[in-house]
Amino acid sequence: MDKVFIISQKAEEQADAIETGIALARVLEKEAEVFAYSYESFAGKEYYNPRLGAAAKVALMNQRSEEIAAKLKVLKAEDVAVHSVWTKDLFEHACHHSIRHGFDLMVKAVHHKTHYLPMDWQLIRHVRIPLMMLCDNPLQRARSVLMAVDLGSDNPIKQKLNQCVIQHGRQLAEALDCQLHLAYIIRVPKILRDMDLIDTHTLVKDAYHRYQPQLDEIGLHQEHVHFLAGDPDLCLYELSCRLKAAYLVMGARQRKGLMGMVIGNTAEAMLTRIRSNVLIIPADDQLLPA
């Protein structure tokens, strides 16, 4: 595989997906390809005349291709392939095309947090390859990679997902010459913490003792292992800021349908406040090690 699927939308985001995606592809020794997505709902003459509508569509796509070609020239990446795609359903094309054509990483800029787009939610729920969501307000001088794992689960899929998260975290940290950290969050509802019904300090201490054999296998220095008790999204946000994490690597179970809408997803919750780029590893059998 070794190919990076870079999503370039019509409206440029604060994070530069093309520049960052190509830089990641280079350090990870992968081949980058840019997918320029465009779509317009025509009105007036273009709506009623199919020939005018088709001409307008071609003109808009050519304009996008020219803009990206100019950008690639500045980046000295003229050899990067560019694909112009006209579709209203970006996530459907991206999810299907990426797995069908052998990509193993997708890069997209998070839309501005005050205008969180459904397509981001859809990508997280349906993508079948690792998805890098680029933060629009990154931390300054960030030089670490933080992996979030669920050491307490006895679910085989979650255990394999942990292995996959660790594998991608190590690869990213090594390629970028960053410190590697591991986080395990013990879920404790806020109401229980506020009422002092649970001693979180004891929970964390017991967890370190219980999971020491797993930590020994992972082989990280004790100072780079962090156990916290609380809400996962808030704990990971605070820890990533404290560690100045450039990247947060985490798994996603990808709940779909009504259950997914009600329960939600830690990865989605993270994107509303995180200041690190988030690498989301989907729990897909094709991605998980045997």
Side-chain angles (χ1 to χ4, degrees):
M1 294 176 112
D2 294 331
K3 294 197 297 182
V4 179
F5 189 108
I6 301 173
I7 295 178
S8 174
Q9 297 165 235
K10 176 189 170 185
E12 292 297 333
E13 313 299 341
Q14 288 179 281
D16 193 329
I18 294 179
E19 182 175 0
T20 304
I22 291 175
L24 277 172
R26 286 171 174 168
V27 298
L28 294 172
E29 298 182 348
K30 299 179 183 291
E31 179 183 345
E33 295 187 26
V34 176
F35 290 79
Y37 287 95
S38 302
Y39 183 79
E40 289 287 351
S41 295
F42 294 124
K45 296 181 295 182
E46 289 82 5
Y47 178 80
Y48 291 104
N49 189 323
R51 291 180 61 186
L52 291 177
K57 171 182 171 180
V58 170
L60 288 171
M61 293 178 71
N62 287 340
Q63 181 182 357
R64 286 286 295 133
S65 295
E66 291 172 3
E67 292 171 353
I68 292 175
K71 186 175 189 63
L72 293 177
K73 185 175 182 180
V74 172
L75 296 173
K76 297 181 180 179
E78 294 95 330
D79 58 330
V80 172
V82 179
H83 309 276
S84 294
V85 182
W86 184 273
T87 180
K88 185 177 181 179
D89 298 315
L90 182 156
F91 87 92
E92 285 190 1
H93 177 274
C95 290
H96 295 155
H97 191 91
S98 59
I99 194 70
R100 187 181 302 122
H101 293 275
F103 290 85
D104 58 1
L105 176 63
M106 184 180 293
V107 177
K108 181 188 178 297
V110 174
H111 196 272
H112 195 283
K113 294 165 187 171
T114 58
H115 302 287
Y116 190 60
L117 288 185
M119 76 175 71
D120 293 335
W121 180 87
Q122 296 281 19
L123 279 174
I124 293 171
R125 291 301 174 96
H126 297 283
V127 71
R128 294 174 61 192
I129 65 173
L131 169 65
M132 178 74 77
M133 302 295 285
L134 302 177
C135 172
D136 64 356
N137 183 28
L139 295 164
Q140 299 298 315
R141 296 184 295 278
R143 294 299 303 168
S144 66
V145 173
L146 175 62
M147 308 179 294
V149 296
D150 186 0
L151 298 176
S153 176
D154 56 2
N155 184 301
I157 294 296
K158 280 194 174 182
Q159 291 177 350
K160 290 182 180 180
L161 188 56
N162 284 340
Q163 297 174 29
C164 207
V165 167
I166 293 169
Q167 172 190 336
H168 283 84
R170 289 189 189 280
Q171 181 186 38
L172 198 58
E174 182 178 346
L176 297 172
D177 192 24
C178 291
Q179 281 191 346
L180 183 62
H181 292 258
L182 179 143
Y184 169 52
I185 311 301
I186 306 168
R187 293 174 182 265
V188 179
K190 186 175 185 299
I191 188 171
L192 296 182
R193 301 197 308 274
D194 291 345
M195 296 174 66
D196 291 328
L197 296 178
I198 291 181
D199 184 349
T200 56
H201 178 74
T202 299
L203 276 180
V204 169
K205 184 177 179 181
D206 291 345
Y208 270 112
H209 179 73
R210 185 181 310 118
Y211 302 123
Q212 190 60 53
Q214 295 183 47
L215 296 177
D216 291 340
E217 287 185 14
I218 295 170
L220 289 180
H221 193 280
Q222 186 174 354
E223 293 181 355
H224 291 180
V225 176
H226 312 272
F227 282 19
L228 301 172
D231 297 320
D233 59 317
L234 184 58
C235 288
L236 288 174
Y237 165 68
E238 293 175 345
L239 180 60
S240 64
C241 289
R242 176 157 57 88
L243 297 176
K244 290 190 175 296
Y247 294 90
L248 169 64
V249 185
M250 62 190 307
R253 288 298 303 275
Q254 297 183 307
R255 296 186 180 93
K256 299 177 177 65
L258 181 60
M259 183 64 72
M261 294 178 66
V262 173
I263 295 178
N265 187 305
T266 301
E268 293 164 17
M270 290 295 307
L271 294 178
T272 63
R273 59 165 61 96
I274 193 69
R275 296 189 62 193
S276 306
N277 297 323
V278 181
L279 178 58
I280 301 165
I281 313 299
D284 186 282
D285 291 342
Q286 296 188 48
L287 299 173
L288 303 179

